[in-house]
Amino acid sequence: QVQLVESGGGLVQSGGSLRLSCAASGSIFRLYAMGWYRQAPGKQRELVAAVTSGFMTNYADSVKGRFTISRDNAKKTVDLQMNSLKPEDTAVYYCNQGGPEGCWGQGTQVTVSS
């Protein structure tokens, strides 16, 4: 059974940085695309960043140049480095394996104060 456990959320001031980490177990991690999604209150869940099994990355336009996704297949982790955070980045961030029909973590809260 696949398990994804996020860590690293918290409260930060506008312009600050946070690093989210997701640890995976129960799957052949290196074969799967991994992603970070977020859901703000009253909004739909949206893709923030993703990295394929071949290490190709893509980002939402709103975070390009500020966020960086990375994966470590040996450690079975996927990280999201978030810099220059804005209040509109406030959301619950979810780790995902295998796309929207795949597996999800429990989520971690990121709050950016102005």
Side-chain angles (χ1 to χ4, degrees), residues 1-7 19-36 51 55 69-80 95-97:
Q1 184 176 355
V2 177
Q3 190 171 22
L4 303 174
V5 179
E6 301 103 334
S7 60
R19 188 176 183 91
L20 305 182
S21 186
C22 172
S25 61
S27 67
I28 306 175
F29 180 83
R30 61 182 171 81
L31 298 181
Y32 289 91
M34 300 296 298
W36 286 95
V51 55
F55 292 88
I69 189 170
S70 60
R71 66 186 296 161
D72 186 326
N73 286 347
K75 295 180 179 179
K76 296 188 177 182
T77 57
V78 58
D79 291 352
L80 185 69
C95 179
N96 171 267
Q97 181 181 82

Side-chain angles (χ1 to χ4, degrees), residues 25-86:
S25 61
S27 67
I28 306 175
F29 180 83
R30 61 182 171 81
L31 298 181
Y32 289 91
M34 300 296 298
W36 286 95
Y37 289 69
R38 68 186 180 188
Q39 188 167 19
K43 295 188 176 181
Q44 289 189 331
R45 191 173 296 189
E46 63 175 356
L47 176 66
V48 177
V51 55
T52 70
S53 58
F55 292 88
M56 293 187 66
T57 58
N58 68 285
Y59 297 90
D61 287 343
S62 58
V63 307
K64 283 180 181 177
R66 300 188 297 122
F67 291 11
T68 303
I69 189 170
S70 60
R71 66 186 296 161
D72 186 326
N73 286 347
K75 295 180 179 179
K76 296 188 177 182
T77 57
V78 58
D79 291 352
L80 185 69
Q81 177 66 43
M82 305 185 293
N83 299 327
S84 302
L85 283 160
K86 305 175 181 180

